[in-house]
Amino acid sequence: MLSFISAKEAAEKWEISQRRVAILCSENRIDGAMMVGNMWIIPSTAEKPIDKRTVRYEKETKTELKPFLKWVGGKGQLINEIEKFLPVDGEKVLTKYAEPMVGGGALLFSILSKYNFEVLYISDINAELINSYIVVRDNIDLLVEKLTEMQAVFLPMNENGRKYFYYNARDKFNALQLSKETAVEKAALFIFLNKTCFNGLYRVNKKGQFNVPMGAYKNPTICDENNLRNISNALRNVEIVCGDYTLSESFIDDNTFVYIDPPYRPISETSAFTSYNSDSFDDNEQIRLSQYIERIDKVGAKVVLSNSDPKNVNPDDMFFDDLYKAFKIHRVEASRAINSKAEKRGKISELLIHN
């Protein structure tokens, strides 16, 4: 006897959205699917149809790009969930992509690897981070040369030698003022410190000086030349801006897919999420961001925002539910990757908020 599953169950099985399953059913692209009442049911043996979206968005040849930096709070594990919000068949084709708080760029590099957006925009308020993106794009040969040299010197050293090299590099990074003349050297030092510091953290003291201690990596890859060169080519047509996320407003229109990944709101006073956060991005900043999202929603952009879910620790905390009541809130499971106490690590809920 033929058995059936719901559209929701099919979506979970095929790792696509329930809305996508409904569209495939309505297009008669799932054999045996039928409407019962107001819901679709699908034969449990049905196979996932080939998605026509590849014709509209995906590149014919793919070069897999990986983030060139480790970045706390990176969204690598949420990429598949976020990409489900790309427009589907029957919806408007979007030609522009904007990520105004790019961080380590996990989603950006997935987008550049797989999709054919005509124009892209990224920005961040972290000047050292943005300088590194620009140098990777515009001065890849000199950057690779400097990173290769540092890697060749650092890796053969014993622990004491590495410590001397690392802290000397950190002091040099802090002393060197960022300018056009120092851009490549600053980027090389930034990438080196990122690859060799504790946990890939970026943290500064009150004087604005990077103060993360050295990590304990045995054989860190300081210069992944092939990936860096592929990224350099992929960034050719990407506008890279240093500044507040609101600067992206002039770029964003009704042809734009926008992903915003702000510093997460701490889910408790001692939460590991505080490591994602800057001191200045408090609830007032979260509110200011929501007002910006309302503005770009009104121009017709497709917007997706990620954040922590306060209901992990307080089921009555309605901060984001109230703040984004005009939007849709999608709760997804993610791993808590940074916590000093092993027993506190594990699966938690995070928010994907979208229009």
Side-chain angles (χ1 to χ4, degrees):
M1 183 177 178
L2 185 63
S3 61
F4 289 85
I5 58 177
S6 67
K8 180 179 180 181
E9 290 170 325
E12 293 173 351
K13 177 181 177 181
W14 295 335
E15 296 184 340
I16 60 178
S17 68
Q18 188 173 340
R19 177 171 66 101
R20 183 68 190 142
V21 173
I23 290 173
L24 293 171
C25 290
S26 65
E27 293 176 344
N28 297 318
R29 293 177 57 197
I30 301 178
D31 292 338
M34 64 181 71
M35 178 73 79
V36 176
N38 62 353
M39 65 177 287
W40 287 100
I41 60 171
I42 296 111
S44 58
T45 57
E47 296 184 359
K48 178 183 177 181
I50 296 174
D51 200 327
K52 290 181 180 177
R53 282 182 291 183
T54 56
V55 176
R56 297 168 51 187
Y57 284 102
E58 293 194 13
K59 297 181 178 181
E60 293 181 5
T61 57
K62 300 177 183 179
T63 300
E64 183 181 0
L65 305 175
K66 300 175 293 182
F68 65 93
L69 296 167
K70 295 181 288 183
W71 207 251
V72 173
K75 293 301 170 291
Q77 62 182 316
L78 295 182
I79 286 174
N80 290 337
E81 293 291 337
I82 296 168
E83 289 182 355
K84 290 176 184 178
F85 296 105
L86 282 169
V88 297
D89 292 338
E91 296 181 334
K92 182 177 181 179
V93 177
L94 301 181
T95 59
K96 301 168 71 176
Y97 175 85
E99 193 169 342
M101 292 182 171
V102 69
L107 180 63
L108 168 72
F109 294 123
S110 178
I111 292 291
L112 288 171
S113 297
K114 297 188 289 188
Y115 300 102
N116 272 324
F117 284 97
E118 295 174 8
V119 191
L120 299 93
Y121 173 106
I122 62 172
S123 66
D124 203 282
I125 202 167
N126 186 323
E128 302 291 357
L129 174 68
I130 288 299
N131 175 64
S132 296
Y133 276 98
I134 293 173
V135 169
V136 169
R137 183 189 66 187
D138 298 342
N139 289 285
I140 188 61
D141 290 337
L142 188 52
L143 177 65
V144 165
E145 180 182 326
K146 288 183 177 295
L147 288 173
T148 300
E149 181 180 338
M150 284 192 281
Q151 181 169 272
V153 173
F154 182 80
L155 291 186
M157 288 179 165
N158 60 25
E159 185 177 356
N160 288 334
R162 285 187 173 191
K163 283 183 177 179
Y164 177 82
F165 191 97
Y166 175 87
Y167 288 106
N168 186 60
R170 194 178 76 171
D171 290 343
K172 189 174 183 180
F173 175 79
N174 286 327
L176 200 62
Q177 294 296 312
L178 181 58
S179 68
K180 184 177 181 180
E181 290 71 27
T182 63
V184 177
E185 187 171 6
K186 284 282 276 186
L189 288 166
F190 183 83
I191 293 171
F192 167 78
L193 293 170
N194 175 265
K195 296 295 187 179
T196 56
C197 75
F198 176 75
N199 255 10
L201 291 172
Y202 185 81
R203 184 186 66 200
V204 295
N205 59 24
K206 291 181 180 179
K207 295 180 180 179
Q209 295 179 322
F210 180 77
N211 66 353
V212 180
M214 189 178 81
Y217 306 105
K218 290 184 178 180
N219 190 34
T221 301
I222 295 164
C223 184
D224 186 348
E225 181 175 354
N226 186 57
N227 187 54
L228 284 169
R229 290 191 181 279
N230 287 335
I231 289 173
S232 181
N233 289 329
L235 290 176
R236 294 296 179 199
N237 296 320
V238 179
E239 183 179 353
I240 305 174
V241 175
C242 180
D244 189 73
Y245 60 86
T246 55
L247 296 177
S248 64
E249 192 163 5
S250 60
F251 174 87
I252 294 169
D253 57 22
D254 62 350
N255 287 311
T256 313
F257 182 90
V258 185
Y259 172 59
I260 300 181
D261 179 31
Y264 272 22
R265 183 176 187 250
I267 55 176
S268 72
E269 290 184 1
T270 57
S271 169
F273 279 110
T274 56
S275 295
Y276 295 9
N277 221 337
S278 63
D279 291 339
S280 60
F281 215 92
D282 56 14
D283 281 358
N284 288 328
E285 282 298 314
Q286 297 285 0
I287 293 168
R288 182 171 79 96
L289 175 60
S290 73
Q291 293 167 345
Y292 177 70
I293 289 175
E294 289 176 3
R295 294 204 302 273
I296 60 176
D297 170 62
K298 288 179 180 177
V299 303
K302 176 64 181 179
V303 187
V304 180
L305 165 81
S306 55
N307 218 308
S308 59
D309 185 1
K311 291 185 180 293
N312 282 297
V313 294
N314 182 3
D316 297 323
D317 191 329
M318 297 292 289
F319 181 79
F320 287 120
D321 294 82
D322 291 337
L323 195 60
Y324 291 102
K325 60 185 177 183
F327 293 80
K328 298 171 185 174
I329 298 179
H330 186 54
R331 285 177 162 85
V332 296
E333 191 177 75
S335 296
R336 185 197 299 268
I338 51 171
N339 197 303
S340 58
K341 297 179 180 179
E343 67 273 13
K344 295 287 184 73
R345 299 173 190 155
K347 297 292 185 180
I348 60 168
S349 172
E350 291 189 14
L351 302 180
L352 291 179
I353 299 163
H354 61 100
N355 55 4

